[in-house]
Amino acid sequence: MKMLIGGKHVDAKGGTTFENRNPFDGTLICTVPNGTGEDFEAAAVIAKEAQKEWAKTPIYIRARILMNFVGLVRRDFDKIVDVVVAEGGKAITEARAELDTLCVVFESFVQAASQMLGNSVPVDSEARTVGDMIFTIREPIGTFVTITPFNFPVELYAHKVAPALVTGNAVIIKPASDTPLSAYMLTELLWEAGVPGGVAQLVTGSGSAIGKWLGETSLVDGVTFTGSTEVGKKLMLGGAAHLQHVFLELGGNDPYVVFDSADMDVAVSQAIGGRTWNAGQTCCANKRFIIQNTIKEEFTARLVEGLKACKVGNPAEDDTVVGPLVSEKNAQRVIDQINATVAEGAKVLLGGKRCGTVVEPTVLADVTPDMAVAKDMEIFGPVFPIIGFDTFDEAVAIANQTSYGLASGVITNDINTAMKFAKAVEAGTCVVNSSGNYRSVHQPFGGIKATGIGREGTSQTLYEMTQEKSIVLKNVLA
Ligand code: NAP
């Protein structure tokens, strides 16, 4: 593949590439240009000029172009799905669902953008402004760099690129190095749909190269990032030099709390569904299973039975539930985290091993609140650490004893318990009677504490990616 800069397909200026391989069977998918700061700078110079014209393009035309894009994605749907499966190892049914979501996200942002209203400001609240009229309009911020992780290469592309483009910003897209090809195909389709070649560009290369460049350039106005907390902090620091607008969607170690008033079928099926999705590599997956001691044994036994029935392996097969992790390095990290938890005193009831990049669904019993996994150790794999509790206050204390705060799930048929928990939990979302692994395009999605800054969704991102200008008509009402 090439990079997409200024309407052209180009190699990295340094001429080097890296390989992208299928994580399940190791086959070579493509070679990827290894862009560096000078490639990003070249794209940013082009974006600066192109954005000015794009901002002048009426919103109904921008909207029409983006709807053309959705039509082209539908045309190439199966080809893109195959790439999502091959490059990231995502189970094919999930890849189809994710690409469907991309279409919904684009359509929703297009619709919502036409409803973005400005404000009018009361002017008779102070003597010196009586007779004036003040109203506001929203304008694009300029050039955004969008940085996405490997785990949802097309859905997260949509959450960043759609609102940026429809509001008149230019985007420089930097996909994860493990999953660059789907983003490349989508960006080519943006061009085919009518987005100018300088308004949507794709530059590939290592994250550290773009991080260094972002800290130095004055050509970027905003950065929208989804990924780890560690990298998010670096971007915030780098962005300070030129006061970039920095939006951060970061890691999570989300609690899933089951009270003894729960429907056990719901508790078990939601636990499995939420944690096995994308083989556990989901930011808002339930990652700590906090179960009332009176039902812990029954929950654990049924969880183990349910997981034994999940097909594990080839992501290209329709009935596969748990595919591989994105790389051998990530799979080994999960095994190391399981072993570290066992060394602290946990017991493996199921799984605990890997075959290449495929990690077996793993249930860890006897996990106590003082262990790393019960606090800040985010495991990005299909692992179920079970932590017991007796009282409501204890459940809340364990749920909140993490630096993160993305999503949470609470399972109970008692609405008072559910609402009390939803109010007490420190998280951006609380889902009642389901896993916190839940996202609607219209929901303000994001986290508190070390999970980041900002919210995504139709009610939020369009405002974050635009700035409000006040226009004052002096003495017009006098
Ligand atoms: P990551 O290592 O932070 O990488 C994410 C992206 O950042 C990749 O494109 C990566 O490029 C790039 N990157 C790496 N170092 C960089 C730097 N110094 N400056 C700028 N960009 C840099 O995260 P990951 O391990 O792929 O993703 C998993 C994490 O993302 C988990 O913590 C998960 O919870 C979080 N996540 C959060 C959300 C949310 O909505 N809150 C959603 C999904 C995932 P390379 O690939 O080239 O290294």
Side-chain angles (χ1 to χ4, degrees):
M1 65 174 269
K2 303 277 185 187
M3 298 195 291
L4 300 171
I5 298 182
K8 299 196 180 91
H9 294 67
V10 299
D11 291 316
K13 286 186 193 296
T16 59
T17 57
F18 58 92
E19 288 184 343
N20 184 235
R21 289 186 176 272
N22 181 317
F24 183 67
D25 60 18
T27 51
L28 181 67
I29 298 172
C30 59
T31 54
V32 186
N34 191 14
T36 61
E38 55 177 340
D39 299 289
F40 286 106
E41 186 77 5
V45 170
I46 293 168
K48 200 91 204 155
E49 281 313 302
Q51 188 269 331
K52 290 179 191 155
E53 285 310 305
W54 183 242
K56 286 185 207 153
T57 305
I59 195 163
Y60 80 91
I61 294 181
R62 296 200 296 257
R64 202 175 279 166
I65 290 171
L66 294 181
M67 293 307 285
N68 287 344
F69 164 77
V70 173
L72 296 174
V73 170
R74 292 267 174 225
R75 181 195 70 191
D76 292 353
F77 197 88
D78 291 341
K79 270 201 295 191
I80 303 169
V81 164
D82 286 346
V83 166
V84 171
V85 173
E87 68 180 358
K90 183 162 297 206
I92 191 161
T93 48
E94 296 180 7
R96 290 189 195 112
E98 188 181 339
L99 195 56
D100 258 329
T101 302
L102 170 134
C103 296
V104 172
V105 170
F106 266 86
E107 287 161 354
S108 302
F109 275 112
V110 164
Q111 285 160 9
S114 62
Q115 307 296 322
M116 278 178 80
L117 306 177
N119 287 309
S120 72
V121 184
V123 286
D124 51 359
S125 56
E126 22 175 353
R128 64 197 174 124
T129 57
V130 170
D132 301 345
M133 192 173 170
I134 306 172
F135 64 94
T136 69
I137 56 172
R138 301 205 70 91
E139 297 183 333
I141 286 176
T143 297
F144 264 91
V145 168
T146 74
I147 309 175
T148 42
F150 69 84
N151 60 346
F152 288 88
V154 303
E155 181 173 348
L156 297 177
Y157 179 104
H159 272 287
K160 297 179 182 320
V161 173
L165 290 182
V166 78
T167 51
N169 295 286
V171 286
I172 300 172
I173 297 150
K174 152 67 181 106
S177 296
D178 283 323
T179 53
L181 192 55
S182 50
Y184 171 80
M185 293 168 86
L186 292 170
T187 309
E188 275 195 318
L189 293 184
L190 282 174
W191 286 5
E192 187 180 339
V195 176
V199 168
Q201 302 179 90
L202 176 123
V203 184
T204 47
S206 84
S208 52
I210 190 175
K212 183 169 177 298
W213 169 73
L214 277 170
E216 293 161 359
T217 186
S218 59
L219 294 174
V220 169
D221 306 292
V223 178
T224 167
F225 171 76
T226 298
S228 62
T229 298
E230 185 195 347
V231 172
K233 286 180 182 170
K234 287 185 192 164
L235 289 169
M236 190 102 210
L237 210 57
H242 293 98
L243 289 182
Q244 289 158 354
H245 297 245
V246 179
F247 302 112
L248 304 172
E249 297 285 339
L250 309 176
N253 203 17
D254 294 350
Y256 180 80
V257 177
V258 184
F259 288 96
D260 60 11
S261 47
D263 177 325
M264 189 56 83
D265 290 340
V266 171
V268 173
S269 65
Q270 290 297 317
I272 293 174
R275 188 54 168 147
T276 57
W277 193 265
N278 204 21
Q281 305 163 108
T282 304
C283 53
C284 57
N286 26 316
K287 296 186 182 123
R288 296 178 294 142
F289 297 80
I290 303 165
I291 316 295
Q292 198 148 21
N293 282 321
T294 43
I295 54 163
K296 195 175 71 176
E297 207 171 308
E298 183 192 354
F299 173 86
T300 308
R302 289 188 53 183
L303 178 70
V304 168
E305 282 317 300
L307 287 170
K308 280 183 183 163
C310 293
K311 187 178 157 194
V312 178
N314 188 348
E317 289 170 6
D318 264 327
D319 54 349
T320 294
V321 177
V322 181
L325 300 198
V326 74
S327 67
E328 189 129 8
K329 184 172 139 226
N330 284 27
Q332 185 53 42
R333 186 190 305 136
V334 169
I335 297 297
D336 291 345
Q337 290 171 316
I338 292 170
N339 291 341
T341 308
V342 169
E344 284 184 285
K347 198 161 120 206
V348 178
L349 293 188
L350 180 75
K353 295 193 288 302
R354 73 177 172 97
C355 177
T357 49
V358 178
V359 174
E360 297 169 348
T362 298
V363 177
L364 297 174
D366 299 341
V367 175
T368 51
D370 57 321
M371 293 183 187
V373 73
K375 297 177 190 161
D376 282 353
M377 187 170 78
E378 179 188 23
I379 301 186
F380 234 44
V383 181
F384 297 73
I386 314 272
I387 310 161
F389 72 90
D390 289 318
T391 65
F392 178 89
D393 288 347
E394 223 182 305
V396 170
I398 299 168
N400 289 345
Q401 61 162 21
T402 170
S403 307
Y404 299 112
L406 182 52
S408 58
V410 57
I411 313 293
T412 170
N413 278 339
D414 177 351
I415 188 69
N416 292 339
T417 303
M419 294 310 293
K420 241 173 88 183
F421 181 83
K423 190 86 178 59
V425 70
E426 294 169 0
T429 298
C430 180
V431 185
V432 176
N433 280 332
S434 175
S435 158
N437 190 346
Y438 179 100
R439 182 168 189 173
S440 153
V441 61
H442 302 298
Q443 165 195 356
F445 182 88
I448 62 171
K449 303 198 282 187
T451 297
I453 293 176
R455 292 286 180 276
E456 288 184 337
T458 50
S459 61
Q460 306 286 314
T461 325
L462 296 170
Y463 294 89
E464 290 186 344
M465 289 187 163
T466 52
Q467 45 206 347
E468 203 165 17
K469 176 185 275 178
S470 297
I471 298 179
V472 180
L473 302 178
K474 187 74 193 149
N475 285 330
V476 75
L477 300 174

